[in-house]
Amino acid sequence: PFVKAQKGKAYFKRFQVKFKRRREGKTDYRARIRLINQDKNKYNTPKYRFVVRFTNKDIIAQIVSASIAGDMVLASAYAHELPCYGLEVGLTNYAAAYCTGLLLARQVLKMLEMDEEYKGNAEATGEDYSVELGEGRRPFRALLDVGLLRTTTGNCVFGALKTRSPTWISGWGLDIPHSEKRFAGFSKDSKQLDAEVHRKYIYGGHVAGYMRNLMDDEPEKYQSHFAEYIKRGIEPDGIEEMYKKVHAAIRADPTPKKSEKQPPKEHKRYNLKKLTYEQRKERLIERLNALNSAAGNGDEEDEDYE
Amino acid sequence: MPAGHGLRSRTRDSFSRAFRKKGTIALSTYLRTYHIGEYVDIKVNGAIHKGMPHKFYHGRTGQVWNVTKRAIGVEVNKQVGNRIIKKRIHVRIEHVQPSRCTEEFKLRKKKNDQLKAEAKARGEVISTKRQPGAPKPGFMVEGATLETVTPIPYDVVNDLKGGY
C-alpha cells in the first residue's frame, strides 16, 4: 500500500532542534537558568549548586559552579566511594544518600578549611537542623539541584523505595536553603515533621524493618533479596550501628582516596587508522610525483608540488 | 481605524526571534559579567518581556553606567532635534551583548605596548601610528602583446550585405 510521506523536505528544513542536553533528556533548562543566574552586582562571585543525581546503582553528589566554558566541579562524592568507609551494600537507599551527602559536605568544608568551625550535627537526629552562624566565616552556601527528580515527601508512606528522595543538608554543616516539608516523616495532616521517622530512615531503619518482615514471612525472598547483606553478615539489628560507624569514619577523613590505575592496555587495531592532514598531503605529493615520473618520462621534468 | 503609535509599534520583525532560534535562551547570556565603562550592544530578545528597552535603542551601543541585580544601566546617544542627548536606560541582561567595537583597539593597544617595549630594549625609536592606505605601487604588465588598431575606410557594399 502506498503511504503518503508525513515528514517531507520542508518539515526538516524548518525543524528546530532543542538544546542537546534537552534532547538527551538530562537537563531542565528552566530550572537551570534560575539556579545559575547570579546577581550582576555580585560580578564573578560563584553560585554553587549542590547537585544530587541517582543512577540505578550509584549516587552522585557534587558541588558545582557554572561558567561559560563549562561547569566547574568543586568537589564530588559518589556512593561507590562508601566501601572505603565500611558501607558495602545498599548503595542507593535513603541512608546511603545521607552518607554520600555527608561525605561531600565534609570534603568541601575540609577543602575550604571550615571543617572545624562548622561541625554540623554530630549525631543525626532527624530534626531540622539549621547551620548557626560561626564566629568567623559565614557557612558555605549551596543551592540544591535535583535535576529531573520528582520531589515527593520522603519514602515513608510507601516504603517500597521506588522514589529516590535525596536527603538534604544542613545536618552536615553546609547552608542549603530548604524546607522540612519533604523530609521522610513529614505529615501533611499535622504539617509537622516527625523527627523519629526521619531519623529511622537516615539509619536505614526502614530497610531493617523490611529485613525483619521478610525473615519471618518469606525466608526464600529474604535470601534472594538481601543476599549481599547475608554474605557480609549484616543483621537487621546491626544496621543502625553500621551506619553510625560509617558516619564517624566519614567525619574522620573525608578526603577522596586515590586508587592506583594501570595505564590502559594496548588493543589490536582492527581498522585502518585515519591519517592526519599532513600525512594526507604528503601522500598526495608522492602520488603526483609518481604519476609525473611515470607519464612524463620523456619530459625530464621533475615537477615537485609544494 | 489608524495604526497606533504604542510602545512596541512597528516591532513585529525586529523583536521577533530568529529563524530556528526560538525557545530556551542560551545560558551564557546569564553568565556574562559587565563592568562600568564597558561598551555593550542593545539587542532586544523578544522572548523576555521584562526589562525591554524601547524600540529606538534596539541596535544601539552604549557604555555601562550602572549594574543592578538583573539589569544593566546603559548610556546611549540619542539625537533629539538639533542636539544629541546621552540617555541613561536600564536594560535586562537578556537584551544586552558585550560589544566588540573596542576589541580591535584593545588588541592594537596591547600589540603596540609590546612593540614599544621591545624597541626600548633594543634602543630604537619606532612609530606605532597607523598609516592610511597609500596608492598602489607601479608595476610592469607581464606578457603583453601589442596590437595596433587602425580605422578602415567605409565600405558601403559589404555593410549592406547583412540586411537591407
Side-chain angles (χ1 to χ4, degrees):
Chain A
F2 180 73
V3 181
K4 181 165 179 194
Q6 299 280 50
K7 298 198 279 193
K9 198 164 153 203
Y11 169 83
F12 288 112
K13 276 185 148 205
R14 312 201 92 250
F15 188 75
Q16 180 188 334
V17 286
K18 297 181 167 54
F19 285 173
K20 180 163 114 170
R21 286 214 116 217
R22 169 63 191 86
R23 277 178 276 142
E24 293 171 0
K26 288 184 184 170
T27 306
D28 172 4
Y29 278 98
R30 185 176 187 275
R32 187 173 155 84
I33 286 181
R34 283 154 177 75
L35 277 171
I36 285 176
N37 209 354
Q38 173 69 295
D39 298 354
K40 290 302 129 194
N41 41 12
K42 292 189 185 154
Y43 296 99
N44 280 323
T45 316
K47 204 165 189 176
Y48 293 105
R49 296 162 25 224
F50 190 90
V51 171
V52 184
R53 299 280 186 271
F54 288 83
T55 70
N56 280 341
K57 292 184 190 162
D58 199 0
I59 308 178
I60 305 170
Q62 295 172 321
I63 303 255
V64 184
S65 68
S67 81
I68 295 186
D71 285 1
M72 304 291 183
V73 177
L74 190 66
S76 68
Y78 297 83
H80 62 70
E81 287 175 15
L82 292 177
C84 297
Y85 298 95
L87 182 64
E88 276 137 20
V89 281
L91 288 180
T92 47
N93 60 23
Y94 204 96
Y98 185 89
C99 292
T100 315
L102 177 62
L103 182 54
L104 177 63
R106 298 315 296 170
Q107 216 179 77
V108 167
L109 290 176
K110 188 159 190 152
M111 203 193 283
L112 300 170
E113 280 147 41
M114 288 208 282
D115 54 349
E116 292 305 308
E117 242 181 286
Y118 291 103
K119 281 221 153 62
N121 227 350
E123 156 97 20
T125 56
E127 250 170 38
D128 191 17
Y129 169 85
S130 276
V131 183
E132 267 117 57
L133 290 171
E135 297 279 293
R137 300 164 69 166
R138 280 171 292 135
F140 183 82
R141 179 154 236 225
L143 304 172
L144 182 67
D145 180 348
V146 291
L148 298 160
L149 271 190
R150 187 76 187 91
T151 48
T152 51
T153 315
N155 308 349
C156 59
V157 183
F158 304 100
L161 294 186
K162 272 283 169 172
T163 47
R164 302 294 184 198
S165 282
T167 43
W168 327 21
I169 31 44
S170 308
W172 311 318
L174 299 184
D175 177 18
I176 303 185
H178 66 288
S179 117
E180 56 186 28
K181 204 164 73 153
R182 292 296 177 209
F183 283 149
F186 184 82
S187 137
K188 255 199 319 189
D189 317 311
S190 69
K191 291 269 181 2
Q192 267 199 337
L193 175 66
D194 186 356
E196 269 309 305
V197 177
H198 194 213
R199 189 187 172 290
K200 201 173 78 145
Y201 270 76
I202 292 176
Y203 286 109
H206 52 307
V207 181
Y210 187 50
M211 278 172 91
R212 287 194 199 97
N213 272 343
L214 281 187
M215 278 206 293
D216 297 332
D217 299 337
E218 293 169 61
E220 307 95 36
K221 192 165 176 198
Y222 174 68
Q223 295 292 330
S224 70
H225 213 69
F226 287 101
E228 291 288 314
Y229 283 72
I230 298 171
K231 199 161 68 172
R232 289 186 174 76
I234 298 177
E235 298 282 304
D237 304 318
I239 282 191
E240 186 168 321
E241 266 304 308
M242 179 179 74
Y243 282 114
K244 278 216 179 90
K245 277 213 216 98
V246 175
H247 293 340
I250 291 177
R251 278 178 191 276
D253 178 26
T255 48
K257 321 266 178 296
K258 263 219 138 74
S259 57
E260 286 295 314
K261 261 206 191 141
Q262 288 98 16
K265 282 200 299 216
E266 293 280 327
H267 291 285
K268 178 174 166 218
R269 263 209 94 89
Y270 292 98
N271 50 356
L272 291 174
K273 195 163 183 191
K274 274 173 115 172
L275 300 177
T276 65
Y277 180 68
E278 272 92 49
Q279 288 174 323
R280 272 182 269 146
K281 257 174 64 172
E282 279 168 28
R283 267 191 82 199
L284 178 65
I285 295 173
E286 282 170 35
R287 281 163 71 191
L288 284 171
N289 281 339
L291 218 81
N292 279 331
S293 56
N297 245 329
D299 287 23
E300 305 242 347
E301 261 186 63
D302 214 21
E303 293 221 46
D304 226 74
Y305 288 84
E306 252 151 345
Chain B
M1 82 177 250
H5 300 291
L7 195 57
R8 285 182 61 170
S9 73
R10 308 168 198 174
T11 58
R12 177 177 185 171
D13 291 325
S14 60
F15 280 15
S16 63
R17 304 274 279 135
F19 180 55
R20 287 193 301 159
K21 295 225 169 75
K22 297 197 177 70
T24 328
I25 307 184
L27 283 254
S28 52
T29 27
Y30 296 95
L31 291 171
R32 290 225 158 79
T33 50
Y34 299 94
H35 296 94
I36 296 182
E38 284 179 354
Y39 282 94
V40 290
D41 300 333
I42 298 181
K43 188 172 158 199
V44 172
N45 186 325
I48 305 294
H49 306 138
K50 285 192 171 190
M52 250 197 214
H54 184 258
K55 62 177 181 271
F56 167 80
Y57 300 102
H58 179 72
R60 308 283 157 178
T61 306
Q63 284 190 305
V64 177
W65 65 275
N66 186 19
V67 176
T68 66
K69 214 164 97 153
R70 302 265 180 252
I72 311 260
V74 188
E75 197 173 47
V76 181
N77 288 342
K78 180 175 188 184
Q79 180 181 2
V80 182
N82 60 346
R83 67 205 192 281
I84 297 182
I85 305 181
K86 286 209 228 179
K87 304 266 287 185
R88 295 193 152 190
I89 54 171
H90 281 97
V91 188
R92 259 191 169 227
I93 316 154
E94 295 93 334
H95 310 290
V96 152
Q97 291 170 349
S99 182
R100 291 180 62 190
C101 57
T102 46
E103 177 182 310
E104 184 256 334
F105 168 63
K106 286 196 197 125
L107 285 176
R108 192 164 55 86
K109 210 165 71 159
K110 246 170 97 179
K111 205 174 85 172
N112 285 346
D113 289 342
Q114 191 195 16
L115 287 174
K116 281 191 215 165
E118 284 170 14
K120 192 158 177 197
R122 280 175 300 176
E124 289 174 9
V125 175
I126 55 162
S127 165
T128 54
K129 285 187 191 285
R130 292 173 294 176
Q131 292 299 326
K136 286 191 290 191
F139 60 98
M140 291 295 278
V141 179
E142 297 287 319
T145 48
L146 288 179
E147 185 188 329
T148 314
V149 179
T150 49
I152 51 171
Y154 184 60
D155 194 354
V156 182
V157 181
N158 274 332
D159 275 332
L160 288 179
K161 257 199 194 132
Y164 173 46

